[in-house]
Amino acid sequence: MDKEQDDGVGLRRIQEILYRLIVAPDGVAKGLAQQEVTMPAGGLAALIAGDDRMTAAERVEIYANGYFFRLLDVLKEDYPATLAVVGADAFHNLATGYLIEYPPTAPSIYHAGSKFADYLGTHPLRARWPYVADLARLERATLESFHAADAPALDAGALRAMAPARWPTLALRAHPATRLVESGWRVDEVARAVADGARAGATIATPAPAGASVAIVVWRRDTRVAYRAAERGEDEALRLVLAAGGASAGSTLAAICEAIAARVDPADDLPALINRMLARWLADGLLTGIEH
Amino acid sequence: MKRSEFPSLGFGVGLRRPHYGEILETRPAMDWFEAIAENFMVAGGRPLEVIDGVREHYPVVMHGVSLSIGSTDPLNRVYLRDLAALARRLEPAWISDHLCWTGVGGRNLHDLLPLPHTEEAIHHVARRIREVQDLLGRRILIENISSYLTYADSRLTEWEFLTAVADEADCAILLDINNIYVNAFNHRFDAHRYIDAVPAQRVAQFHLAGHADHGSYLLDTHDHPVRPEVWELYEYAVGRLGAVSTLIEWDDDIPEFAVLAATAGEARERAARVLGTTLAAAGAIGAASRIEPVR
């Protein structure tokens, strides 16, 4: 108590109290009234000076509003399709709940929305929009791909230069910007409809997506991010390549071919399918480097 | 600290996403750009392609928003490592951040919160600035922020606080003229007294921006043109502090690049008028750095 009188409230305590008041979900005044924050003797006045223009609580409220609306804007920008599906009002409430459960911790605001799909995955709104968490996961994957590390795309020429006999043991590595998003709904079609609508400046219609198991490939080529539904067999092949990552060697071409063979119709022309798939991966830059 | 450590770069604008394509494709006349450091502290992709392309043709300064130099949490080592890595990549003319705290308890408010003007805060912040400067191997600039509240603990004026921190840390100052104007209204002080009091040899850069009038307070929104009253204050600052590198900030409702360029041009004209000389445009910035302030 004596210390408080000599030195005031002190820097640490000021910051802890102010933080709690700024993020209080129902505003500063309610945050104070509900005693969510242990205040120093003398209450808020011992911390912040009010005047004839504004009370101390109103001054903190400026920061509280700034906090919420700044992060709401970030979430809206990061998740435009999710926003289009649920609408502005529901999205506003989702943002409120999300920030309580997952308050930002990273220095960069890019990370503020990184757990939004996880939050949606357990939210009651799933009853109405069961696919919305997957849609948000796809939107996050495109953002991650946009900022992912640079790496040279595997060149088709390098592959062709190698004797075909060595191909089966080649280890393929995914490019750092390549992602695979799996869903029980065609959320890629929803995302595309929203993006096309935004580009055309049209009202965005978001029909409920078809319920179909899909693996969506997300990749980056020349700094542009794209996505599409994987072909049958291709999803398992990409899963293998992506699982390899890190320090471990990539998945071998032989293992990839086996995985595809196990998934496709025996009547399909397997070599043609694998050729087409590899050619597309190389053209799109889904792979980087090979080890042999 | 010698002024010559931070030569005048002339009149620049903040590098913002809507202008990336135009700047890279048309290379408009511009003395220098200020890049928000965090926008480029990413692993790869378009942001790094953009900043490398800009850096190739213009002087660049790194301006951070997440250093949180005033927080009572430990300095974020990962953030500082990434900041240092970006600095190695860009070789910026200098690095700046704000005299504020942005979070506590491992949480981030993504806002610039004011500090109480106390001895405790001065020593705390100055010690941390020194640590950051040692780590980066260079002097940094700290910027005065806009604020909407005053702490009961504060015993000093804002300019006394800023000066004490800069002196004790031996760092440079990024003087935001709009923030001084905003705070002069919000906290009822004379903006000219502020400018009279800052240590001239430490002021290495000016910021200019627009704000919004909310009646009982002014909000630093960076979504408006620079207001006439702020231009007047800028001229007063140039009169006292000389041809300091000047930068136009615009972060919301961002206009076409030409509008920003014209605002930088207006700053150049006003500074020249105050100093009774002409300040050359990009390509001859060496001349501007030799102009001494009129006392």
Side-chain angles (χ1 to χ4, degrees), chain A residues 74-94:
Chain A
V74 167
L75 292 173
K76 282 179 167 175
E77 198 174 319
D78 288 358
Y79 299 96
T82 306
L83 170 63
V85 166
V86 305
D89 291 347
F91 196 88
H92 182 111
N93 294 335
L94 283 174

Short mmCIF file of all heavy atoms in Angstrom, two decimals, chain A residues 74-94:
data_model
loop_
_atom_site.label_atom_id
_atom_site.label_comp_id
_atom_site.label_asym_id
_atom_site.label_seq_id
_atom_site.Cartn_x
_atom_site.Cartn_y
_atom_site.Cartn_z
N VAL A 74 -9.58 -7.73 -39.81
CA VAL A 74 -8.59 -8.73 -40.22
C VAL A 74 -9.29 -10.05 -40.55
O VAL A 74 -9.02 -10.67 -41.58
CB VAL A 74 -7.53 -8.95 -39.12
CG1 VAL A 74 -6.70 -10.19 -39.40
CG2 VAL A 74 -6.64 -7.73 -39.01
N LEU A 75 -10.22 -10.46 -39.69
CA LEU A 75 -10.94 -11.73 -39.92
C LEU A 75 -11.78 -11.64 -41.20
O LEU A 75 -11.84 -12.59 -41.98
CB LEU A 75 -11.82 -12.07 -38.72
CG LEU A 75 -11.07 -12.43 -37.43
CD1 LEU A 75 -12.05 -12.58 -36.26
CD2 LEU A 75 -10.28 -13.72 -37.61
N LYS A 76 -12.42 -10.50 -41.42
CA LYS A 76 -13.23 -10.33 -42.64
C LYS A 76 -12.36 -10.43 -43.88
O LYS A 76 -12.76 -11.01 -44.88
CB LYS A 76 -13.93 -8.96 -42.62
CG LYS A 76 -15.15 -8.89 -41.73
CD LYS A 76 -15.73 -7.48 -41.78
CE LYS A 76 -17.11 -7.41 -41.16
NZ LYS A 76 -17.60 -6.02 -41.12
N GLU A 77 -11.19 -9.84 -43.80
CA GLU A 77 -10.29 -9.86 -44.95
C GLU A 77 -9.73 -11.26 -45.18
O GLU A 77 -9.57 -11.70 -46.31
CB GLU A 77 -9.15 -8.87 -44.71
CG GLU A 77 -8.42 -8.49 -45.98
CD GLU A 77 -7.39 -7.40 -45.73
OE1 GLU A 77 -7.68 -6.45 -44.97
OE2 GLU A 77 -6.29 -7.51 -46.29
N ASP A 78 -9.45 -11.99 -44.09
CA ASP A 78 -8.87 -13.33 -44.22
C ASP A 78 -9.91 -14.38 -44.61
O ASP A 78 -9.55 -15.41 -45.19
CB ASP A 78 -8.24 -13.76 -42.88
CG ASP A 78 -6.95 -13.00 -42.57
OD1 ASP A 78 -6.55 -12.17 -43.41
OD2 ASP A 78 -6.36 -13.24 -41.50
N TYR A 79 -11.18 -14.14 -44.25
CA TYR A 79 -12.22 -15.17 -44.46
C TYR A 79 -13.43 -14.60 -45.21
O TYR A 79 -14.55 -14.64 -44.70
CB TYR A 79 -12.64 -15.76 -43.10
CG TYR A 79 -11.51 -16.43 -42.38
CD1 TYR A 79 -10.76 -15.76 -41.42
CD2 TYR A 79 -11.14 -17.74 -42.70
CE1 TYR A 79 -9.69 -16.37 -40.78
CE2 TYR A 79 -10.07 -18.36 -42.07
CZ TYR A 79 -9.35 -17.67 -41.11
OH TYR A 79 -8.29 -18.28 -40.50
N PRO A 80 -13.21 -14.10 -46.43
CA PRO A 80 -14.33 -13.47 -47.17
C PRO A 80 -15.46 -14.46 -47.49
O PRO A 80 -16.63 -14.07 -47.47
CB PRO A 80 -13.65 -12.94 -48.44
CG PRO A 80 -12.40 -13.74 -48.58
CD PRO A 80 -11.96 -14.04 -47.18
N ALA A 81 -15.13 -15.71 -47.79
CA ALA A 81 -16.18 -16.67 -48.15
C ALA A 81 -16.99 -17.07 -46.91
O ALA A 81 -18.21 -17.19 -46.97
CB ALA A 81 -15.57 -17.91 -48.82
N THR A 82 -16.30 -17.26 -45.80
CA THR A 82 -16.99 -17.57 -44.55
C THR A 82 -17.95 -16.43 -44.20
O THR A 82 -19.10 -16.66 -43.82
CB THR A 82 -15.97 -17.78 -43.41
OG1 THR A 82 -15.02 -18.77 -43.83
CG2 THR A 82 -16.65 -18.24 -42.14
N LEU A 83 -17.47 -15.21 -44.37
CA LEU A 83 -18.30 -14.03 -44.12
C LEU A 83 -19.53 -14.02 -45.03
O LEU A 83 -20.65 -13.76 -44.59
CB LEU A 83 -17.45 -12.76 -44.33
CG LEU A 83 -18.18 -11.41 -44.36
CD1 LEU A 83 -18.84 -11.12 -43.01
CD2 LEU A 83 -17.21 -10.28 -44.71
N ALA A 84 -19.30 -14.33 -46.32
CA ALA A 84 -20.42 -14.32 -47.28
C ALA A 84 -21.46 -15.37 -46.92
O ALA A 84 -22.66 -15.15 -47.08
CB ALA A 84 -19.90 -14.55 -48.70
N VAL A 85 -21.02 -16.50 -46.41
CA VAL A 85 -21.95 -17.58 -46.08
C VAL A 85 -22.78 -17.24 -44.84
O VAL A 85 -24.01 -17.35 -44.84
CB VAL A 85 -21.20 -18.92 -45.86
CG1 VAL A 85 -22.10 -19.96 -45.20
CG2 VAL A 85 -20.68 -19.44 -47.20
N VAL A 86 -22.14 -16.80 -43.77
CA VAL A 86 -22.87 -16.61 -42.51
C VAL A 86 -23.49 -15.23 -42.39
O VAL A 86 -24.39 -15.02 -41.57
CB VAL A 86 -21.98 -16.90 -41.27
CG1 VAL A 86 -21.37 -18.30 -41.36
CG2 VAL A 86 -20.91 -15.84 -41.07
N GLY A 87 -23.02 -14.26 -43.18
CA GLY A 87 -23.56 -12.91 -43.11
C GLY A 87 -22.85 -12.08 -42.05
O GLY A 87 -22.22 -12.61 -41.13
N ALA A 88 -22.97 -10.75 -42.18
CA ALA A 88 -22.20 -9.82 -41.34
C ALA A 88 -22.53 -9.95 -39.85
O ALA A 88 -21.64 -9.90 -39.01
CB ALA A 88 -22.41 -8.39 -41.81
N ASP A 89 -23.83 -10.13 -39.53
CA ASP A 89 -24.21 -10.15 -38.11
C ASP A 89 -23.65 -11.38 -37.40
O ASP A 89 -23.06 -11.29 -36.33
CB ASP A 89 -25.73 -10.12 -37.96
CG ASP A 89 -26.30 -8.77 -38.38
OD1 ASP A 89 -25.50 -7.82 -38.52
OD2 ASP A 89 -27.52 -8.67 -38.56
N ALA A 90 -23.86 -12.54 -38.02
CA ALA A 90 -23.35 -13.77 -37.42
C ALA A 90 -21.82 -13.73 -37.35
O ALA A 90 -21.21 -14.19 -36.38
CB ALA A 90 -23.81 -15.00 -38.20
N PHE A 91 -21.21 -13.15 -38.37
CA PHE A 91 -19.75 -13.08 -38.40
C PHE A 91 -19.23 -12.21 -37.26
O PHE A 91 -18.22 -12.53 -36.62
CB PHE A 91 -19.27 -12.54 -39.76
CG PHE A 91 -17.80 -12.80 -40.02
CD1 PHE A 91 -17.38 -13.97 -40.62
CD2 PHE A 91 -16.84 -11.85 -39.67
CE1 PHE A 91 -16.04 -14.22 -40.87
CE2 PHE A 91 -15.49 -12.09 -39.90
CZ PHE A 91 -15.10 -13.27 -40.51
N HIS A 92 -19.93 -11.11 -37.02
CA HIS A 92 -19.57 -10.21 -35.91
C HIS A 92 -19.58 -10.99 -34.59
O HIS A 92 -18.64 -10.89 -33.78
CB HIS A 92 -20.58 -9.06 -35.87
CG HIS A 92 -20.32 -8.03 -34.82
ND1 HIS A 92 -19.93 -6.75 -35.13
CD2 HIS A 92 -20.40 -8.08 -33.48
CE1 HIS A 92 -19.76 -6.06 -34.00
NE2 HIS A 92 -20.05 -6.84 -32.99
N ASN A 93 -20.62 -11.78 -34.38
CA ASN A 93 -20.71 -12.57 -33.14
C ASN A 93 -19.64 -13.66 -33.08
O ASN A 93 -19.10 -13.94 -32.01
CB ASN A 93 -22.09 -13.21 -33.02
CG ASN A 93 -23.17 -12.15 -32.84
OD1 ASN A 93 -22.88 -11.04 -32.36
ND2 ASN A 93 -24.39 -12.47 -33.24
N LEU A 94 -19.35 -14.25 -34.24
CA LEU A 94 -18.28 -15.25 -34.29
C LEU A 94 -16.94 -14.63 -33.90
O LEU A 94 -16.16 -15.21 -33.15
CB LEU A 94 -18.15 -15.85 -35.70
CG LEU A 94 -19.19 -16.87 -36.12
CD1 LEU A 94 -19.00 -17.22 -37.60
CD2 LEU A 94 -19.07 -18.13 -35.27
#
